[in-house]
Every structure is written in structure tokens, then in C-alpha cells.
Amino acid sequence: MIITWLLLFLTPPQTSDGFSEDILRGHRCRFEYIEDSVGINIDQVQQPEFQDQFLPMDSLKRTKKFQHYWMKIYVPVLEDSTTYYFNHYAWFDELALYFAKGPPLTKNWYKPSDTSRFTPGRRYVSLEKDDLFEGGYFYLKWYNSTDRFDRLNFQILNGKAVYTFIHTISADQFVSYDMFNFLYLGAVFIIFLYVLTTYFYNREPVYLYYLAYLFSAGMYLFSRSNLVLNDIFSLITPYIPTVPYHARYTLQYCMHLSYLWFAMSFLDFKKYYPVFYKIGRYMTYFFLLCIGITFVSIEFFPRNKAWIYIYDIERLVAIVLTIGLQVYVFFNKKDRLANFIIVGSAFFIVSALISIIALEVFYFRLGVIIEIITFSLGLAYRLRQSESAKISLAKEVERVKMIALRTQMKPHFLFNTINSIRALILKGSKEEAYEHLAVFSKLIRYVLESSESELVPLKQELKMLDIYVEMEKRRLSNDFNYKQIIEPSVNEDTTLIPPLILQPFIENSIIHGLSSKEGQKNLEVQLTRVDHQLKCIITDNGVGRSFKSSRLESVDKKSMAIDLTEKRIALLMQEKTFSKRNHVQIRDIRDEEGQSAGTEVKVTLPLILSHET
């Protein structure tokens, strides 16, 4: 911006006749006009009957759609042997310039018939004094497919003014108008990059639809400025003449279509708004048809009026659809996400109406920026909801896994217990079987009570182990000793552990270690607190793993109970892999002669407290 102002300040003033009043804008030309509905040629328009029909430019309040106009462009007194340039601030689909000498210079749908008299970019037409009729005017005939002109400006510039226009930007226009246009594009671009990054994070289609909307809305409104129309497009159209038309029409339809897809995906129309979802599907076909017909018409049949009628119909349908969507969602909204669509779309509609009434696209850009910010906040809120839902779902999955793992373990030790009671009954020890059954019922009651709990107090779990060991001692005629050692650092009341987490190891020691041993049999459970972990050591003096019994833990394969316990502990620690078996460590105990003297199992659990003491 500073460089622009500096260039303008350093530009020397022009002293040529006709340019002293406005160095940058040149000399504004007065014109007269007549409407041509019958196809008048240049010879006819110079006849007196037509000359009398020319009207002053002040009476042309607004041009008509699909109408040809003849104009007499009056220019200031031009110096001999000096080249000037004619410029127009209007969009002409067809243009023909008629001079006093030589063939007419035409531009048909932005394709000039002769480039020798056009400056680079094909915006300015060279003009000399000999080109003027009676030394003061020339004729211009033009046709336009729309009625968007409420004023027409024509200029005559000298070489210095053209240089200023081509190589610098009009400072007042840039500051007051085009600066906001670039700020608008910059804001859209920043949001586009943010949404693109978010899409790569979670790969949801709603972000793709929003990216399409950002691109089409950004490019559509950015192309609606004088700077883009007169400077940027003038450099592109010599090579791709139809770009300005696609920017105005095709991009607008793409913007409406991507908005529809975004809204349908953002609010999950198929699930929550099935009625509007069906309407949205049909509207998708309508917008695609508009895009296809418009593209083909502009490229191959530019004089066909169908694509202009489609423009009016499509815009009306889009407005009705947007308002209908807002009303429908407002009265049927399922959650807070609907508020973002309602508020954002309201800004879009209001700004579009103000822009149409005021004939100023600035208000439309402002409304779209607010709408885009609103939608972006909605996406952020939606992402936060999604992440919260994922976390809740993950917790629920882990809870179900823990219950499922406990369910897999229960039949293992329950089956062995029932077999023990069955053996007592077969021996005829009815009273002993009754006592065994009473103890077993206590154990079943504990299992049922803890089946829905992820964690239980350590004191309750140790009591369950006492009951289980008592039941096994009855089965084995009290031929082993059992002892629990709880260090003072462990609070039995506040420490929480998963239910039945230690039972498989004690069962393993009794059934496959102590039951096969001769002599004194000992089983010991020791619990200690180490930092933020609970260490559980289960030691027996049984036959050890080297004994060829049906031991749960062999050299090559762990038992199902131990494997499930590993997984339970890993889930409890929120680990994503079970490949490392560090939570359960099994060691053979050897005597002085190197013979097996028992087994030691170390189980490491996270220290979980019901409350700090």
C-alpha cells in the first residue's frame, strides 16, 4: 500500500488539453444513446431520422436485458499525431466500435476481432484524432445479456494515464473497496487451511463439503470487484475468454450446491430431518443440471438466453430453499448444532438482500464472512461433541470388555468348584458337601454383586479370597496353609482393584502346585505399595512349573486365565497393545540343590484410591 501511494505521488502531472482535471481517471466522456430492437447498421444510424432519436445519457437509468444499444461517444479535442486510449467501465457481452476510418473493432463475448489496437490485457483501445466523426465523436454498439448496469462510464486517457492504470492500483479505490475484498479472500483462505487440516485429522465428508463451499464462495465474491474484473480478468480472458462468465454464474451454482451438501451432512439430515433430506436430494439434481447447462451454454452457445433465465430461476430457488431450510430446522431442531445453520444462513440471506437493494456487493461479502465464521464455530463445536462421544464410547467399550473378560473367567473356577462339591457328594460326605455348598453360595453372592463393578475395595476382594481358599481347603482336607501379608502402606478400605483379578493365580497355585505336592504346603499373598502401583506377590511351595502336571503356565504357553488377566490389567491402564507382558511375571523358586521349590507370581496393578487419605 505504501509503495502504491509513493508511485502515485511521484507520477508527474499531465498538462495536455483535456487531462488536467483528472490525471488518473482521464477525461470522462459524455454520450448519447438509442435502443436498437431491429438491427440498425452503421450507415442507418448516421441518417437524420435516427440521429434525432438519440437521448442524453442522464435518461439511461438502467439498461435492459438482451437489448442492443447504439451510443455516440463524445471525446475532448485530441492533439494531432498523438495516440490516446479509450476505456469503458462496463461489462459488454458484445461490443463494436465504429470510427470515421477503417473497419469496426469488435469484441464478441470478450473475444476481440483485432488485437493490434488493444493494449496488453485487451482493456484499452487505441484512438487517434482521425478516428473521430466530425472531429468529436465515434459510435459504439453493444449488447448485454443481463440488466446489471445502472451507470456507464467511458474515458479517454493519454499514455501516461494508461501506464498509471496498468502498473499501479488506484489508491482510493484500493483502500475503500478492494482492500476489503483482499481481506475477505484472506480470511476465507485462512479458514480453508484450518478446515483442510481438520479434514486430514478425522476424514469426515462434512469437511470436504465445507471446503467446496469455502472455495466457491471465496472465489465467487472475490471475482465481483472492479479490480478483478478490470485488471485480473483482462489478463486471463485473451487466453480463456469465458472465465468471467463462469466466475459469475457457474461458481454461484457451485456455492449453492456445496452449501446444501454441507448443511445436509452437518445436521445429518438423513437421520434427523428425513423430509428435508429427500428435498435436498432433488435439489442436488437441480443444481447439477443448472451447472451443466450453464457451462455448456457459456462455452458453446453464448447467445442462447437459456443460461440467463436459469440464473434468475436458480437464484430464486436457492433463496426459497435457504429460507425453507431455516424455518424447517428451527421448528424441528434436534440439538444445538441447528442454531449454527440458522444464524449463519440468516446473515447470508439478509446480506444478499441488502446487497441487491443497495447494488453493492460489499454487504454480501460482509454477511458471507459472518456466515463462514459461524459455520466454522459450528464445526469446532461439532468436533468437540464428536471427541466427547468417542471418549464416552471408548470408556463404555472398555467397561464392556472388562465385564466380558470377567465373564470368561467365571466359568473356569466355578466349574472346578462345582466338581469339588460333586466329588464330596459321591464320597458320601453330605454334611461336608453342605458346608462346602454354603461357603460356595457366599462366593457366588460376591461374584454376582461385583459383576457390574469395574473396581471393588481391596478389603472386599481379600475377603472373597479367604472364602475361596476356605472352600479349596475343605476340598483338600485342610492340607495347606494360607496367609495374607498386607503392608501398612496399603489401605484396604480406600484401595480399589478389579474384582477376581488375583483369584486365577491363587487357584492355579492350589490346584496345580500344592495339590500335587507331598509334605507341608504353604500359600502366601503379599501386597505392598510402590509409588503409584500396587504390587501383589503370590508365592507357593508347590511342585513348580517343571513338574509334568496340567499346570496352567507351561514353558511355551500361558493359560487362558493368565492371558485374560494380562488383558484386563492392560485395559485398566488404558494401554493400546497387549504385546508386552510386564504386568504379570512368573518365576520358578529353586532350592539349594537347584530343584523346583515352588512358584512366585508378581502382579502389578495401577494404584487406584477411592479418596485420598
Side-chain angles (χ1 to χ4, degrees), residues 10 215 239 313 428:
L10 295 178
F215 177 81
Y239 309 100
I313 296 173

Side-chain angles (χ1 to χ4, degrees), residues 435-454:
E435 293 177 359
H436 203 111
L437 187 61
V439 176
F440 180 64
S441 65
K442 295 180 181 179
L443 183 63
I444 293 299
R445 187 181 303 114
Y446 172 82
V447 172
L448 293 175
E449 290 176 353
S450 64
S451 62
E452 293 301 321
S453 301
E454 295 184 18

Side-chain angles (χ1 to χ4, degrees), residues 34 51 63 133 147 301 312 340 382 408 451 466 519:
I34 59 171
Q51 289 290 313
T63 60
F133 291 92
D147 57 353
F301 310 101
D312 294 331
F340 293 98
R382 185 178 185 271
Q408 293 180 42
S451 62
D466 287 336

Side-chain angles (χ1 to χ4, degrees), residues 179-310:
M179 175 63 81
F180 180 79
N181 192 29
F182 278 97
L183 290 175
Y184 162 79
L185 184 65
V188 173
F189 180 71
I190 292 173
I191 296 175
F192 183 91
L193 292 180
Y194 164 75
V195 177
L196 182 63
T197 304
T198 307
Y199 168 72
F200 285 120
Y201 171 73
N202 56 24
R203 301 286 183 173
E204 290 189 30
V206 64
Y207 294 99
L208 282 180
Y209 302 146
Y210 192 52
L211 287 171
Y213 178 70
L214 286 173
F215 177 81
S216 54
M219 297 307 298
Y220 170 69
L221 289 178
F222 179 71
S223 67
R224 296 292 301 277
S225 73
N226 291 331
L227 175 66
V228 177
L229 291 174
N230 296 327
D231 292 275
I232 298 179
F233 280 168
S234 62
L235 300 175
I236 300 175
T237 50
Y239 309 100
I240 311 176
T242 55
V243 164
Y245 299 97
H246 290 307
R248 179 172 179 84
Y249 299 100
T250 310
L251 267 180
Q252 177 175 299
Y253 306 155
C254 291
M255 181 177 69
H256 295 161
L257 177 61
S258 56
Y259 166 82
L260 175 63
W261 285 348
F262 166 71
M264 292 174 63
S265 179
F266 182 77
L267 296 181
D268 197 354
F269 274 25
K270 189 174 183 179
K271 180 178 180 181
Y272 297 110
Y273 307 96
V275 175
F276 221 94
Y277 175 74
K278 294 180 180 178
I279 297 175
R281 291 177 58 187
Y282 290 115
M283 292 308 304
T284 296
Y285 301 139
F286 169 75
F287 288 133
L288 289 175
L289 184 63
C290 291
I291 293 172
I293 294 177
T294 300
F295 183 85
V296 172
S297 298
I298 291 175
E299 289 293 332
F300 304 105
F301 310 101
R303 296 209 57 161
N304 191 318
K305 299 180 180 180
W307 60 284
I308 300 299
Y309 293 135
I310 288 177

Side-chain angles (χ1 to χ4, degrees), residues 79-98:
E79 298 179 358
D80 295 332
S81 303
T82 302
T83 300
Y84 296 86
Y85 295 90
F86 169 72
N87 184 33
H88 57 83
Y89 283 88
W91 189 282
F92 297 132
D93 293 328
E94 294 181 3
L95 175 66
L97 300 174
Y98 293 89

Side-chain angles (χ1 to χ4, degrees), residues 33-35 60 63-64 67-70 140-142:
Y33 75 97
I34 59 171
E35 296 181 9
L60 185 59
T63 60
K64 297 179 181 179
Q67 178 66 54
H68 286 86
Y69 289 85
W70 277 94
L140 181 150
K141 182 179 182 181
W142 63 273

